[in-house]
Amino acid sequence: MPNTVLIGAQWGDEGKGKVIDVLTAQADLVVRYQGGSNAGHTVIVAGHKYVLHLVPSGILHPGKQCVIGNGVVVDPLALIEEIRMLEKEGIVVQGRLCVSDRAHLVLRYHNALDKADEAARSDGKRIGTTGRGIGPTYRDKVCRTGLRMGDLVERDFPERLAANVAAANQALAALGAATLDVAELQKIYAEAACALAPYIADTVEVVNAADRAGQQILLEGAQGTMLDVDFGTYPFVTSSSPTSGGACTGTGLSPRRVERVVGVIKCYTTRVGEGPFPTELLDAAGEDLRQRGAEFGATTGRPRRCGWFDAVVGRYSQTVNGVDLWAFTKLDVLDSLPVLRICTAYELDGKRITTMPASLAAFQRCKPVYEEMPGWLQKTSQVTRYEDLPVAARAYVERLVALIGGKLGILSVGPGRETTLRLGL
Ligand code: IMP
């Protein structure tokens, strides 16, 4: 397998966990490059469901090595909990997982500030964050006041933590939120340092040594292109770079060593949290998709907003990420629909556009332009070969690929590993 970056092409929740799991079979090293425990990658192995927030899902494949890269923001307490959960399931983690000494720490005050910031925002301004402290941690990183995984095991950590907690407490008090106890946090993180010390490593060296040794690397993104802090629907985005460019800055692997980009995209669209969503279905049809697709957040349990496939988003993702191969997911969710709609362009102030406006106000005014295709009204989850799919189902998927560019590599027709039709991936 060539060194591969895997990205989400929509607003997250495209089914990346499952596709990563399938591709991991061919990889030696699986590396997560951005985001934090706001992500929830769901993988079903032999009927057993695992939801991973920080640890790459490669851990579910015996013998594979996993890395949490420098671009990820790591809540040490959430990481310890996840390692314990995996060990309880009989999965060996120590010796197979390392976490970058350069990765920024999500500390209790980041979670508190995330929630307090959201509570202080008025209606229409709330982002609908996952409350996992992501924004405040990346804010500290950029402001150069953050603490990193490597700092956690240094002698002066308690002191540096105390200074940051004091500053955070001022901000929390100003927002009318409860402040935090420094001594308690110092104790909690001293214990966390002991538990995590064996996992902390210079992962720039780990990743590049693996590459020099000819090992195959899978770089896994979390969230999706439309939540990217640069390319997404700003400010209704996350605070990191889920797009393929983030894979290099988030791991230290050179762009010249990335050989392939795989995009994961759902056969319809969903979004969690606030922000514009032109093809959203606010009626019974949206509720129907939500129920059939079990569209509830893996991290927060929130109902996902559902809508038709948006080819403008898909094409934009193809451009920004340079997707070579697409993994389309959840085709089976559409099995019972007699007619399917595809958004091929937007109408903005009386003009037809096929590119993504940067301005939030303009994007909010965009009206989807649809074309329709007939549904197939047959079950697809039992199909094991692409050729055996109903003609209308193939026509739908092929139309989507033609509209967004790139090639079809995987088509997923159900949640388990076995419901994956592979066409050159
Ligand atoms: P944050 O990443 O928690 O700051 O949330 C910012 C926005 O990104 C919110 O709209 C969240 O719902 C969304 N978001 C964050 N992580 C995910 C994810 O893994 N899947 C889908 N949406 C996400």
Side-chain angles (χ1 to χ4, degrees):
M1 185 188 87
N3 287 342
T4 299
V5 175
L6 181 140
I7 59 96
Q10 296 155 314
W11 277 280
D13 308 317
E14 296 90 353
K16 294 180 292 296
K18 175 185 162 167
V19 181
I20 293 161
D21 180 61
V22 169
L23 294 186
T24 297
Q26 306 159 36
D28 299 300
L29 192 68
V30 186
V31 191
R32 173 86 186 267
Y33 63 82
Q34 47 68 234
S37 40
N38 49 350
H41 287 171
T42 306
V43 184
I44 297 175
V45 183
H48 190 87
K49 182 171 159 183
Y50 297 87
V51 183
L52 296 166
H53 301 284
L54 280 167
V55 178
S57 41
I59 207 78
L60 304 176
H61 286 252
K64 305 288 174 180
Q65 293 294 318
C66 295
V67 171
I68 298 177
N70 57 276
V72 180
V73 289
V74 183
D75 179 337
L77 309 178
L79 180 58
I80 292 168
E81 199 179 304
E82 204 162 305
I83 292 171
R84 291 203 179 127
M85 178 277 288
L86 287 163
E87 284 173 344
K88 231 166 97 190
E89 297 287 339
I91 294 160
V92 179
V93 183
Q94 200 164 341
R96 295 182 53 216
L97 171 72
C98 56
V99 51
S100 172
D101 47 8
R102 293 177 172 85
H104 277 252
L105 293 167
V106 181
L107 299 164
R108 283 261 168 100
Y109 55 85
H110 293 120
N111 297 61
L113 284 166
D114 193 0
K115 289 180 187 136
D117 281 343
E118 276 284 87
R121 287 188 179 111
S122 54
D123 282 351
K125 299 265 185 253
R126 231 162 268 134
I127 292 168
T129 73
T130 58
R132 297 297 191 271
I134 306 302
T137 306
Y138 281 111
R139 179 165 70 201
D140 278 0
K141 174 177 174 172
V142 176
C143 286
R144 296 158 293 183
T145 53
L147 291 166
R148 308 199 291 181
M149 197 47 89
D151 300 325
L152 186 64
V153 288
E154 294 292 343
R155 273 172 186 271
D156 64 353
F157 185 79
E159 213 177 291
R160 296 180 67 188
L161 177 68
N164 280 12
V165 174
N169 276 344
Q170 280 188 5
L172 287 167
L175 289 163
T179 55
L180 300 166
D181 183 70
V182 178
E184 189 194 338
L185 293 189
Q186 283 171 326
K187 184 166 170 287
I188 289 174
Y189 291 116
E191 284 165 15
C194 293
L196 291 178
Y199 296 93
I200 303 173
D202 177 356
T203 57
V204 174
E205 206 29 58
V206 172
V207 171
N208 282 285
D211 184 47
R212 285 194 295 273
Q215 293 192 1
Q216 271 97 54
I217 305 173
L218 177 61
L219 302 147
E220 79 169 70
Q223 288 85 46
T225 302
M226 300 309 290
L227 291 172
D228 187 285
V229 69
D230 284 281
F231 302 112
T233 46
Y234 191 89
F236 296 100
V237 292
T238 192
S239 303
S240 67
S241 306
T243 44
S244 55
C248 294
T249 54
T251 62
L253 186 71
S254 156
R256 300 177 66 170
R257 298 300 307 136
V258 172
E259 297 160 314
R260 183 172 73 170
V261 179
V262 171
V264 186
I265 191 161
K266 222 175 319 206
C267 290
Y268 51 97
T269 311
T270 62
R271 173 164 204 172
V272 205
E274 306 303 320
F277 176 1
T279 62
E280 182 170 15
L281 285 163
L282 294 163
D283 53 7
E287 184 54 36
D288 190 51
L289 271 182
R290 181 156 41 248
Q291 295 304 332
R292 285 180 198 282
E295 296 293 357
F296 296 89
T299 299
T300 57
R302 289 182 292 178
R304 296 178 186 144
R305 301 155 65 192
C306 297
W308 296 117
F309 187 85
D310 187 334
V312 182
V313 165
R315 206 156 39 229
Y316 177 64
S317 279
Q318 154 67 22
T319 304
V320 169
N321 295 292
V323 174
D324 299 298
L325 286 167
W326 287 109
F328 273 86
T329 59
K330 292 196 149 182
L331 180 75
D332 55 303
V333 173
L334 305 177
D335 284 353
S336 57
L337 298 181
V339 175
L340 298 161
R341 303 183 98 187
I342 305 169
C343 166
T344 55
Y346 300 139
E347 202 168 287
L348 175 62
D349 303 334
K351 286 202 192 98
R352 195 169 276 213
I353 60 162
T354 54
T355 54
M356 188 61 58
S359 144
L360 184 71
F363 193 50
Q364 275 164 335
R365 291 199 305 278
C366 282
K367 301 267 176 306
V369 177
Y370 287 116
E371 68 177 37
E372 290 191 348
M373 290 190 79
W376 40 96
L377 303 175
Q378 279 177 60
K379 231 173 141 179
T380 54
S381 53
Q382 256 82 38
V383 174
T384 54
R385 293 185 327 155
Y386 183 74
E387 303 73 57
D388 297 337
L389 282 171
V391 175
R394 274 184 282 151
Y396 177 69
V397 174
E398 285 161 22
R399 178 69 185 139
L400 302 189
V401 177
L403 283 167
I404 67 178
K407 288 193 182 131
L408 182 60
I410 278 183
L411 181 61
S412 170
V413 291
R417 271 182 188 164
E418 61 297 342
T419 53
T420 314
L421 316 183
R422 303 183 64 166
L423 307 94
L425 240 182

